[in-house]
Amino acid sequence: MATAQSSSLMALEVQDGDRAVRFCEGTSFGADRSVAGELVFQTGMVGYPESITDPSYRGQILVITFPLIGNYGVPSRVDRDAILKDLPAHFEAAEIHIAGLIVASYSGEEYSHHLATSSLGTWLKEQNVPAVYGVDTRALTKRIREQGSMLGRLLKQTGTRKMLALNGAVTPSGAATPTGSATPAVLNGHTNGLAAPNGPNGYFGSKTKDVPVFEEIDWYNPNIRNLVADVSTSKPKVYSPDASIALHHSSGRPVRVVCVDVGLKYNQLRCLVKRGVEVEVVPWDYDFPRLSGKEYDGLFISNGPGDPALMKDTVEHIRTTMDEARIPIFGICLGHQLLARAAGADTLKMKFGNRGHNIPCTNLLSGKCYITSQNHGFAVDADTLPNDWSELFVNANDHSNEGIRHKDRPYFSVQFHPESAPGPRDTEFLFDVFINTITDVIKDSSKMRIPVKFPGGDAAANAAAKPRVSVKKVLVLGSGGLSIGQAGEFDYSGSQAIKALKEEGIYTILINPNIATIQTSKGLADKVYFLPVNADFVRKVIKLERPDAIYCTFGGQTALSVGIKLKDEFEELGVKVLGTPIDTIITTEDRELFARSMESIGAPCAKSKSANNLEEALEAVETIGYPVIIRAAYALGGLGSGFADNKEQLIDLCNKAFAASPQILIERSMKGWKEVEYEVVRDAQDNCITVCNMENFDPLGIHTGDSIVVAPSQTLSDEDYNMLRTTATRVIRHLGVVGECNIQYALNPDSREYCIIEVNARLSRSSALASKATGYPLAFIAAKLGLNIPLNEIKNTVTKVTCACFEPSLDYVVVKIPRWDLKKFTRVSTLLGSSMKSVGEVMSIGRTFEEAIQKAIRAVDPSNLGFNETEALMSIDIDTELQTPSDQRMFALANAMSNGYSVEKIWQMTKIDKWFLSRLKGLSDFSKHMSTFNIDNITSSLFRTAKEKGFSDKQLANFWSSNEKHVRRARLDAGITPFVKQIDTVAAEFPAYTNYLYLTYNGTEHDISFDDRGVMVLGSGVYRIGSSVEFDWCSVRAVRTLRDSGYKTVMVNYNPETVSTDYDEADRLYFENITLETVLDIYHLERSSGVILSMGGQTPNNISLPLYRSNVKILGTSPEMIDTAENRYKFSRMLDRLGVDQPQWKELTSIEEAKIFCNKVKYPVLVRPSYVLSGAAMNTVYSEHDLRMYLNQAADVSKDHPVVITKYIEGAKEIEMDAVARNGIMIGHFISEHVENAGVHSGDATLILPPQDLDPETVRRIEDATRKIGDALNVTGPYNIQFIAKDNEIKVIECNVRASRSFPFVSKVMGVDMIALATKAMAGLPLQEYPPLNIPPDYVGVKVPQFSFSRLSGADPVMGVEMASTGEVACFGRNKYEAYLKGLIATGFKLPKKNILFSIGAYKDKLEMLESIKKLYKLGYKLFATAGTADFLAEHEIEVQFLEALQDDQQRNEYSLTHALANNLIDLYINLPSSNRFRRPANYMSKGYRTRRMAVDYQTPLVTNVKNAKILIEAIAQHYDLSIGRIDCQTFAEVPTIPLSPPKPEVLPTLTELLKSSPFKGKDIISVKQFSKEELHLLFTVAAEMRLGVERDGCLDTLKGRVLCLMFFEPSTRTSSSFDAAMKRLGGQTLMINESHSSTQKGESLADTIRTLDQYGDAIVLRHPDNDSAERAAKAAHGPIINAGNGSREHPTQGLLDLFTMREELGTVNGLTITFVGDLKYGRTVHSLVELLRHYNVQIQLASPAALSIPAKVRAVMQARGQLAIESDRLTPEMVAKTDVLYVTRLQKERFEDPSLYEEVKDTFVVDGKTLKDAKANMIVMHPLPRNLELSEEVDDDPRAAYFRQMRYGMFVRMALLALVMAP
């Protein structure tokens, strides 16, 4: 487990019957001594200083499960208590009472808290208490849970001894091994099936090992002695309250309580004294009835340790007091048990006790459930209570007794700790109950004859006051399209709510136009309306459907706003609002109301004032003072908010904020304070819990949606945590929230000062995160609470035995990191502030912060390796980046630490808590340390430590100059594998039946067994622009289809916003990264029966080939075929072969070449640089000047950074094809058309289905091309092709062999689940091809993109070839116009009422728009236009008002475009920018850009595309009433259907036809010189067909009945078996002859042998040592001779297969740099390949010993061609860095005349991991094999090592060659 410092070891042993079991070895961090005691665990979340000073733990070795031990240090031991004067201020006793401490991880001396004066370790040493970390506390907790309380001992290390290591295994940590001696036994059945070291004693290769030796001590059972005597006070002592609050008896003396100290916690004393009573604390055995006289008014019995049965004297004294019946009595914990025994009841020893801070206890009088803190191993047996006593509280989980009271006397006691410390303070009111009872009795002694009264009312009355809501039909409002600030989390929460309602048997109707979500799919809501979520449409649906109730809290701000607008209409409409009342929502949304509401209960809010205009805002700042934060009311994700340090900034912000909202709030800025969040749940019975608390890594100032968030909080003490928790429950109760809400705080890091920032009285982004972080299904529970079902009546679905009224315990750390996609936008500001910009987020789980954050960094982007220096990602100065955070912040931190910045310096610049920074600094330092090792000398223990700290194999490979696969192999050899842990909500306290899992290296056993062999489905990963909720829909539909068919499923994903990461969707959910390492780990652990990659978008596709090459069974299309589609060269060749057209394109390596190509194809062109510096990615270029400017800006165009240029076809229509195939045969497809012309990214396009304007011939051609492509790629599963069409000519833009973004749209519009169809095809399940359709007539679906430009300050809101939309919606209509209008409104677009402004750049756009503008004019709209447009319209007799966008103060308002926009005088702005033919400098801001940006900032509807403008105007002109009907909704019932017909195929030239026209038929293949470029192309085309044939059928019958003779006069493995296999795969036979068994031994000539074989076979393959052997054989034979190597001259088929390998691996041979290494003199493979390379534009580098340099003749040929770049007698790093193909050959000792020369050069030509450190990521290493030492085996694991794949390619090439030569 992650080590904090170097220390000695400590062993933990547990008693198991008569055996001692060595549980584990960890690192000591307390006193250096051994100790024995009883093992107990505690699952609370904070408060270690309070816990370890709790006297109830006396004699116990405490196991703490929560993951933040030592983080906030230990406060002063000297500070005295403000109330108790001479007692310590911060602890529960004057000393530590535990015997020992066991934790999973410990933060060492790097603690962080304003009160801390030392580390925990220092304090433990002061108090002589041993402690150990590095223990799998979860495994230990489970052991204690299953076996009950057990004895344990911590043994200190006394030295080491030598021990023989078998297979390198030394006792694994956490394994149960008998310990008869100090020499640990070697284990065979290690938990992972691999014997593996898990301490500092790992090994790589040594025979003996130093193993630790530990002290031996006896067991000790503390329960056999009276522990109370150890902890009780020795003499009575009085504590008096402050005179100002003291209570007095009627006689004038102080009111006094006698407190029997049986292990008193100081906080009980504080709770009594601060309530004004004087307390006399007396020893446990003090005879208080006799010695304390009659001058006291109440008896309090404290908590304490041990068995109450041992304390007979105390029980007797209590009984005497009870019999006297003079004073009230109150007992806690042990005091409760003693009171029960005094009453005559029994106590019993519990199996393992209750020791958490989250235990729910139900008050049997009121029915209310409270969260309590507990610490006890004994309980009262309620069945033995006398008749005059009754149970007061019971445990809501195990139903054990938690409290009793006397029926006629004021005596009561509770088992839990109402004084908390640590823990929640929910029941501290019991001290008030006790004191009030005392004062009542003092006033009236007759009150001694009535029982204690408790607040909370009567259970029956409470239930009757809030009865369960009886509803049959509920309307749920969704959130609409995904946008920044309101994304996939609402798909998750809405889906959960619908599941909860269905479980209750309620008919659900959903309104949500987001067609890509799971909640709008079959299987959830009974009816879905695809309509805008706004007041008008919701009102219409309510009137039509007449639901009983509505939920407004599951659809984000969109749904809330509707609830607020319709608040006064709901009653009249007969609809009840479920859950939180609308008035509460209004209070939380209106900043002023909220501040006043908080003030009324004394909850601190930031100093603030609201303003309705600029003057009020300026006035407010006068009283608050700068700096301030501006927030817009009723805005989501901080929209319209920001910080102002001065008046100018304030005015600027106010203008924007007032555009978003009628009211703004101005608050004191608390930048630099900690930001902390709590998720709070409350039911109608006022039961209230906090489910998750989260701490922002970033201080206040960055929107929480853009912050890194950590759960549980890592640096809050118990006092901090519970102060905020108590406030949270108080606030939520005051507001009257029913369901779930989120409260955000600012906490001053230097004091306990805090402020409430805001409350979200609805499900939020944080709620989704909290649900996934804890496993507590917040939305599901909230939906049930809205029906008035109490929390304690809802089951915890994870444990199935506990109730939902509890607070989850986490024994792991969760980290959320946002994902930004700011590079997709031009001019966008990348700075992070109070307005959210992220488009998605990732969540990771680890047992330590380090493990979790490294996983999260990798999850954000596959190119991130983890927390380490990343040069490429830092575009600006580190200091600037640290002080003004942007999306690059994490890399800035890593780079700063790597450059030597101290934690202190970084803290000064960032105010990120030092604890977080010190953890990251630890990772940075460890990275540097790792770089000093390599794979051969790293120790097993360091290797394990690296994995425990969250370093990936790929990261380590980087440090060790190796490759990921080799590191993996070494890791597995060392037995270092991850363990699977459950997220069970209870930190292993109860058995869990959960399938919610994560991997960790900080463990020693799995929580589960692996028997399912389920199908793995890889999810979509993080939401980002281009890959969003649609892929989650695909993943979930795939999983559901498999489960419905009886398959077990495994989902892997790491996105907390998704439905796929809901643990009830799949049989197993791994919340893990989708990387090669993790997927392989899970695949092997689960022994999975296959992996589906094609549902999660590009993330899983990116690892398809490496998974396939790691022998993972991939279901669906072969990854090699996926690679063919994704490699533009291979795909392009395939299209040429199929006769399918594509736009002309070329990859170019210089600006000159680019110019030539552009002039050839004519402008405009689409330019994609491969390396982007400035953020300019793909772009359309219209002129040479434009091209030069653009390429200079993009990067240096060079061989290393080529640029791809494609002909851009203007005015073409783009068409989307979504299809499913099985074994290459299409079984379902749909075609959608784009509204916008080609040139707008398909993700930003408006889609129409069924298509309305496509020519039938175009459709036929598209279907035909799709069928051909599916067949050529042998697709099984989903695929998507984008076409452009112009004048019935179609061209393919791209093909994705996976599910695409449009699959949910086409599936739902057409009523055919294409993903279910694809899943069945991939799993080999029965299916119906072209399933029937059931769409009504006059029915069109239109998908409209959702943009979030208003969030992205500065971004230019135009559409182009880079995708910019964050989501999508779809609506239905009788025609495309009606559907489009509804869809547009669903994105938040407001239709114009009066004023429309036009600014049209291009003349052709003006012409195209003219008729549409005339329509608007005739309809009576007032038209405005900018200069050129106004003139054009005036010429065409359209009346228009001219507006000019000048920055001129003198300008009159009526002519000012800026004034019109700023004052919301324009209802719609149609701005059509001209194609940017003359690119301006990047910093130039055109008037068009400025006005577009203004429109966005001032919330004016904006249209920037001519086709969108036309369809919008036409739709407006048709005057739709937008009534709703049958086409707007989908009910999931059976409907009559019509069959869908498959397309008619067009016949392609077959393989047989290709072979018929073979130029090689019957010819000899002697030399590569025979081959022309065209013949090579044919050979490779046939080879690709052969590969497809083998994949489909295994064998072909092309050469059936043919015989091939193989004659080898030299040893050969590869060539001979390759030809043998090739012939047999073609259906032929082979005849194998080698020289040693032939007549050559008798002197037969080669010619005679050849003539003989000629009689038996149809062709002969010959290898012979003579250089002229092939020619001689060819002369002698009638049939064809194929040369398999003639001396040192040639090896033609090797040259051919080498060339084919390059094409298959790298896509093309042209443009490559090929480096030949080794023996170039005799290497015939090199000579053949060099000869073949004459056909290609390549650069060749040569590296060989001088004695073995390339023959002069060959060198001259290369020089003549201009191909020879470098020749060297060393392989230099510079040569490697330029290399695309590293072709290695054997250096043979026998070739050297001087052996010493061989010795001198042999190591110079060894290629290993270090050699490849300088190499490109996508180069390849080739070798003709066999090899000797020149190629290290380490390289075999590198994905760039192509030499074994080279052999496979060789078989396909030889199959093609044989077929072309021998085919009939």
Side-chain angles (χ1 to χ4, degrees), residues 1751-1764:
K1753 189 175 165 189
V1754 182
R1755 183 186 296 109
V1757 168
M1758 286 188 280
Q1759 285 169 333
R1761 295 186 208 140
Q1763 290 180 331
L1764 185 58

Side-chain angles (χ1 to χ4, degrees), residues 968-1018:
R968 179 183 182 82
R969 194 186 296 270
R971 171 166 68 74
L972 296 179
D973 288 348
I976 302 170
T977 53
F979 292 89
V980 177
K981 298 287 182 188
Q982 291 171 314
I983 288 184
D984 61 3
T985 72
V986 291
E989 185 176 357
F990 297 95
Y993 304 92
T994 179
N995 54 358
Y996 186 6
L997 312 166
Y998 68 99
L999 300 181
T1000 180
Y1001 283 87
N1002 291 286
T1004 56
E1005 68 174 39
H1006 298 299
D1007 280 353
I1008 56 167
S1009 56
F1010 304 101
D1011 311 314
D1012 283 3
R1013 307 216 57 220
V1015 174
M1016 284 172 70
V1017 178
L1018 304 188

Side-chain angles (χ1 to χ4, degrees), residues 127 304 768 1008 1036 1098 1122 1255 1310 1339 1471 1489 1693 1822 1844:
Q127 301 259 316
I1008 56 167
V1036 173
Q1098 203 50 40
I1122 296 173
D1255 186 289
M1310 303 308 283
Y1339 163 90
N1471 174 299
Y1489 160 71
T1693 61
M1822 294 174 64
F1844 290 111

Side-chain angles (χ1 to χ4, degrees), residues 712-914:
S713 59
Q714 296 292 299
T715 65
L716 298 192
S717 67
D718 178 66
E719 181 76 16
D720 302 332
Y721 178 98
N722 281 299
M723 168 180 76
L724 299 180
R725 183 194 174 280
T726 303
T727 303
T729 55
R730 207 155 48 91
V731 166
I732 272 44
R733 286 185 164 125
H734 172 69
L735 290 170
V737 169
V738 175
E740 192 273 347
C741 84
N742 157 275
I743 183 165
Q744 289 167 29
Y745 294 102
L747 175 66
N748 189 332
D750 302 318
S751 71
R752 290 228 158 92
E753 185 188 0
Y754 71 93
C755 288
I756 297 169
I757 302 170
E758 67 175 357
V759 169
N760 284 313
R762 57 172 170 81
L763 273 289
S764 64
R765 180 184 329 95
S766 302
S767 321
L769 178 66
S771 294
K772 301 301 168 69
T774 59
Y776 189 100
L778 278 165
F780 182 87
I781 301 291
K784 296 231 170 177
L785 298 182
L787 302 170
N788 284 4
I789 304 172
L791 267 169
N792 47 340
E793 289 179 23
I794 302 170
K795 272 267 175 280
N796 174 351
T797 51
V798 170
T799 61
K800 302 205 185 338
V801 290
T802 59
C803 72
C805 189
F806 78 106
E807 300 189 350
S809 289
L810 280 61
D811 53 6
Y812 50 85
V813 180
V814 163
V815 173
K816 174 217 100 173
I817 301 186
R819 156 88 187 210
W820 297 275
D821 259 340
L822 301 176
K823 62 181 179 293
K824 295 268 184 190
F825 303 94
T826 52
R827 303 183 191 282
V828 71
S829 159
T830 59
L831 296 183
L832 303 181
S834 61
S835 189
M836 183 175 160
K837 291 179 177 176
S838 63
V839 289
E841 61 191 30
V842 303
M843 185 186 103
S844 66
I845 308 164
R847 297 270 295 167
T848 62
F849 171 73
E850 290 92 326
E851 185 174 46
I853 197 155
Q854 293 238 71
K855 276 189 188 180
I857 291 167
R858 286 193 286 277
V860 170
D861 192 277
S863 62
N864 300 345
L865 295 180
F867 186 78
N868 41 263
E869 190 179 19
T870 317
E871 278 308 323
L873 291 164
M874 284 308 301
S875 51
I876 55 175
D877 173 63
I878 289 179
D879 287 12
T880 312
E881 183 58 44
L882 292 175
Q883 286 161 337
T884 52
S886 81
D887 54 345
Q888 307 261 300
R889 179 171 226 184
M890 191 49 83
F891 306 111
L893 287 170
N895 289 3
M897 287 173 178
S898 184
N899 290 350
Y901 283 50
S902 67
V903 165
E904 180 67 29
K905 181 176 179 179
I906 297 173
W907 173 76
Q908 291 289 356
M909 296 167 88
T910 63
K911 291 294 185 260
I912 294 168
D913 194 286
K914 287 180 188 172

